[in-house]
Amino acid sequence: MSTLQPALEKTALSPAVRRRPRTKQVTTAAHYLVLLIVSLIIAFPILFALSTSLMTPAESLSSPPHLVPSHLNFTSYHNALQAAPLGKFLLNSVIVSAVIVAGQLLTSSLSAYAFAFLRFPGRNLLFYLFLATMMIPWEVTLIPNYLTIKQLGWLSTYQGLAAPFLATAFGTFLLRQFYLQIPRDLYEAAVLDGCGHWRFFLTVVVPLSRPALGTLGVYAFLQAWNMYLWPLLITNKTGMRTVQIGISMLQNEEQLAWNLIMAGVVLVLLPTVLLLIIGQKQLVKGLLAGSVKG
Amino acid sequence: MNAVVRARRRGRELWSAGPFLAPSLLLFALFFFYPLGKTVYLSFFLTNAKGEAKSFVGWQQYAELFASPDFQHSLWTTLLFVLLTVLPGLLLALLLALLVEKPLRGMAFFRTLIISPVTVSVATASTIGLLLFNPSISLLTYGLKFFGVPDIAWLTDPFWAMISVSLVTVWMGLGFHTILLLGGLQAIPQELLESAKIDGAGYLKRLRHVVLPLLSPTLFFVLVVSVIGAFQSFGQINILTAGGPSRSTHVLVYSIYRDAFFNFQFGSASAQAIVLFAILLLLTLLQFTVVERKVHYQ
């Protein structure tokens, strides 16, 4: 019996064993083929935007349309930055995004400290108040916020674009979760040494939480850079538009060729594309961090 | 004694907590809690063009909304848009995640291409959409001609406008949804798949009985997030169709935007915002009580 068993197994398995490498190769090849086709279809709009941005104006307007430019023509980037004041739009977006990122990092790291390290009356109630701000769709606060900004005379200003986004409950939660992992002993020891809250916060907590601050920073940047409805409402001067508004209005207002508009699109995509290629992990972390919000 | 010390310490920590909390609380008060109350308040008032409440009308604006054919049309349009974007988007992202999950050589490259839509914003995606749907130079129409498809009026035909806006929306969300589902797939323990394989379960059987049940929390999460996102869609509609043609893409948020900032009916627009909030709240609760029962948590 014991001598028969391996022989039986061998005969039973052998056709399968012989067939396997061939079928496996074929399925792998098929898998690659499907992957190639599917990934080109999914990435096509972005690749086509890049391709169009390198065409001459005539090529970008021709019918039947060109898929690729006859030769690489980089002048559209130069023209987009100059003629369509895309340079100014980019600058506006950079400033507003930087202010929002800095603001969120500052306000969130401070409030997270209070929730993670301090025990004070009403802490739970406040925590729920913070939570409430995440539950309510922001269309609900949109109209009064617009009226407030208008009353402050902040329409078409950087402060008007950034102000409503400087504090986030989500950032507070993200950082609080991180702070809670900091050993309690460290805090007790610091307090025993007579170290005040501010010194402990600045010299221990902030340096230790750099990874979480990075994630929040990427998330806040993506949000701010891609914002659409708020800057659309708040900016009524061309010179103050953010790049998202600028790019989507190029088509309506000026008779610009598509190569110029697509050059603009590529420039707007640049920061996030770079994040995807160089810091995919950071980008994914930043995006995932935000998804908790829903 | 001890209680007194503790109370004193808590009191002292309240003083320490103040400056840490003040910046966030101040900003929330000004840009969240005050406007939240104000929206509810405005929804009960007729307003002037400056957005000042003029006369109290109670529930009248809500009643008028639900009696108005335009608003009913907006609600149905929104529902149709949600149906057209959420389920196809979820299914497509699932297929993509399954496709890029296999650890093949060079997969990082394909994965990057497939998740590349995460890099677009609503404005850039819609601007590219304008180029691809452009009547005179549409590469899309031109490409479909090869397959014998007649010319499609992408943005000017009421039926196709809805399809075009949905296409852009699904594409925009694909990258992110695929990332989420890929994360879910990678969290499935390999031992379970191996033992199912040894038991003779083929790929589809394993998918149905092992992978999908274990992935259901992630699928549920993506469902909830994309339903909420779809209800709040605005940019792609404003850029691609401006609610048209003949109101075929006039969704709820677009209607709020028009009524508040073009018709200056801040009261009615506020009531619509509250309706949107109520719908989202109800739907989220519904999803948590009905759909979540079918979700398998480990």
Side-chain angles (χ1 to χ4, degrees):
Chain A
M1 188 63 185
S2 61
T3 49
L4 206 64
Q5 194 71 25
L8 259 180
E9 262 175 26
K10 208 176 172 187
T11 45
L13 276 174
S14 56
V17 168
R18 236 184 292 129
R19 201 171 48 224
R20 216 178 180 175
R22 275 290 284 285
T23 37
K24 207 173 177 188
Q25 266 179 6
V26 172
T27 44
T28 307
H31 199 108
Y32 272 119
L33 190 67
V34 173
L35 263 178
L36 186 69
I37 294 170
V38 170
S39 55
L40 284 180
I41 291 174
I42 301 288
F44 173 75
I46 295 172
L47 298 175
F48 185 59
L50 180 66
S51 166
T52 304
S53 76
L54 299 171
M55 291 178 189
T56 61
E59 275 175 328
S60 77
L61 285 168
S62 75
S63 177
H66 286 242
L67 191 58
V68 284
S70 57
H71 64 279
L72 299 185
N73 169 44
F74 288 96
T75 50
S76 48
Y77 285 88
H78 179 79
N79 291 343
L81 287 171
Q82 299 284 318
L86 214 73
K88 176 72 171 139
F89 297 160
L90 279 166
L91 180 73
N92 292 341
S93 275
V94 167
I95 292 173
V96 172
S97 304
V99 170
I100 290 178
V101 169
Q104 289 198 6
L105 288 177
L106 185 75
T107 57
S108 304
S109 59
L110 286 172
S111 51
Y113 182 86
F115 285 123
F117 289 103
L118 299 172
R119 316 223 169 294
F120 52 90
R123 192 174 68 148
N124 287 340
L125 180 74
L126 270 182
F127 200 68
Y128 288 128
L129 271 184
F130 272 58
L131 197 71
T133 67
M134 287 166 64
M135 302 292 201
I136 285 156
W138 80 286
E139 282 81 4
V140 174
T141 54
L142 184 70
I143 293 167
N145 274 344
Y146 169 81
L147 296 172
T148 304
I149 294 294
K150 198 176 165 191
Q151 236 162 30
L152 288 170
W154 283 2
L155 290 183
S156 285
T157 62
Y158 291 130
Q159 61 269 36
L161 283 163
F165 306 98
L166 294 179
T168 101
F170 161 70
T172 305
F173 289 124
L174 185 83
L175 294 179
R176 172 184 170 267
Q177 290 313 103
F178 196 86
Y179 290 176
L180 288 176
Q181 292 168 12
I182 295 173
R184 197 77 200 158
D185 301 352
L186 222 56
Y187 173 72
E188 308 280 345
V191 172
L192 272 182
D193 282 351
C195 174
H197 286 298
W198 287 95
R199 238 182 79 200
F200 181 67
F201 172 72
L202 288 172
T203 57
V204 180
V205 175
V206 170
L208 276 178
S209 55
R210 263 179 311 198
L213 290 172
T215 302
L216 177 60
V218 170
Y219 167 70
F221 174 78
L222 290 173
Q223 287 263 300
W225 186 260
N226 289 339
M227 207 160 39
Y228 180 74
L229 180 47
W230 183 251
L232 179 71
L233 291 181
I234 289 305
T235 51
N236 46 23
K237 284 193 209 124
T238 311
M240 279 309 291
R241 281 181 197 156
T242 63
V243 83
Q244 306 286 344
I245 309 305
I247 199 78
S248 58
M249 285 189 172
L250 284 183
Q251 207 261 344
N252 305 339
E253 292 184 5
E254 288 113 88
Q255 285 302 311
L256 292 178
W258 280 104
N259 64 327
L260 220 68
I261 299 175
M262 288 301 131
V265 167
V266 172
L267 286 173
V268 180
L269 290 180
L270 212 55
T272 44
V273 170
L274 284 179
L275 263 176
L276 178 71
I277 293 169
I278 300 165
Q280 202 173 109
K281 262 195 197 127
Q282 270 300 327
L283 175 73
V284 170
K285 258 197 205 161
L287 284 165
L288 287 182
S291 70
V292 183
K293 206 180 169 187
Chain B
M1 177 65 191
N2 215 347
V4 174
V5 171
R6 219 181 303 140
R8 203 177 284 161
R9 192 169 155 203
R10 277 162 63 98
R12 210 171 47 229
E13 297 216 323
L14 178 62
W15 282 110
S16 320
F20 282 98
L21 288 169
S24 291
L25 278 179
L26 214 70
L27 284 160
F28 282 150
L30 190 59
F31 293 112
F32 185 81
F33 291 109
Y34 160 72
L36 180 63
K38 183 85 182 276
T39 299
V40 176
Y41 175 82
L42 284 179
S43 76
F44 294 120
F45 282 85
L46 288 176
T47 56
N48 64 10
K50 283 182 188 156
E52 291 158 349
K54 281 295 165 199
S55 61
F56 178 79
V57 292
W59 291 97
Q60 192 192 320
Q61 292 189 111
Y62 289 92
E64 275 170 12
L65 274 183
F66 284 104
S68 137
D70 279 350
F71 183 70
Q72 286 170 8
H73 177 78
S74 277
L75 281 182
W76 285 116
T77 308
T78 311
L79 205 65
L80 180 66
F81 175 75
V82 171
L83 284 176
L84 281 173
T85 53
V86 171
L87 288 177
L90 187 64
L91 199 69
L92 214 56
L94 177 64
L95 290 176
L96 289 178
L98 288 168
L99 190 67
V100 296
E101 184 224 11
K102 256 195 176 176
L104 288 178
R105 186 189 293 258
M107 189 53 98
F109 170 74
F110 294 112
R111 231 177 246 177
T112 305
L113 280 181
I114 283 180
I115 65 173
S116 66
V118 296
T119 60
V120 301
S121 62
V122 68
T124 45
S126 307
T127 308
I128 298 174
L130 281 176
L131 171 61
L132 288 176
F133 296 135
N134 189 291
S136 50
I137 55 164
S138 169
L139 194 73
L140 217 54
T141 310
Y142 194 72
L144 286 173
K145 246 185 207 155
F146 276 110
F147 300 97
V149 181
D151 279 10
I152 294 170
W154 293 104
L155 299 174
T156 43
D157 178 86
F159 172 78
W160 285 105
M162 182 52 119
I163 301 288
S164 309
V165 169
S166 304
L167 263 176
V168 171
T169 309
V170 168
W171 178 71
M172 271 169 56
L174 267 188
F176 181 50
H177 295 157
T178 306
I179 291 175
L180 284 173
L181 292 171
L182 190 60
L185 283 175
Q186 284 167 342
I188 293 174
Q190 279 301 311
E191 306 92 76
L192 283 176
L193 291 170
E194 287 300 325
S195 58
K197 223 177 194 171
I198 289 166
D199 288 345
Y203 181 75
L204 288 178
K205 256 204 171 130
R206 266 178 284 150
L207 188 65
R208 201 174 140 209
H209 295 289
V210 183
V211 175
L212 289 184
L214 290 176
L215 193 63
S216 56
T218 317
L219 282 169
F220 176 68
F221 178 71
V222 175
L223 177 77
V224 174
V225 171
S226 49
V227 165
I228 293 175
F231 266 98
Q232 293 178 280
S233 295
F234 169 77
Q236 60 271 57
I237 285 146
N238 190 43
I239 296 171
L240 287 169
T241 63
S246 55
R247 297 180 76 93
S248 60
T249 55
H250 208 273
V251 294
L252 195 46
V253 177
Y254 190 73
S255 169
I256 297 174
Y257 169 73
R258 292 298 303 190
D259 278 350
F261 303 106
F262 288 82
N263 305 334
F264 302 109
Q265 297 185 329
F266 291 102
S268 169
S270 297
Q272 291 179 53
I274 299 293
V275 171
L276 174 72
F277 174 42
I279 292 175
L280 284 180
L281 197 66
L282 269 175
L283 263 179
T284 310
L285 287 176
L286 194 76
Q287 290 181 93
F288 270 94
T289 49
V290 179
V291 186
E292 208 196 16
R293 265 198 232 147
K294 302 205 190 294
V295 171
H296 173 96
Y297 289 104
Q298 271 182 293

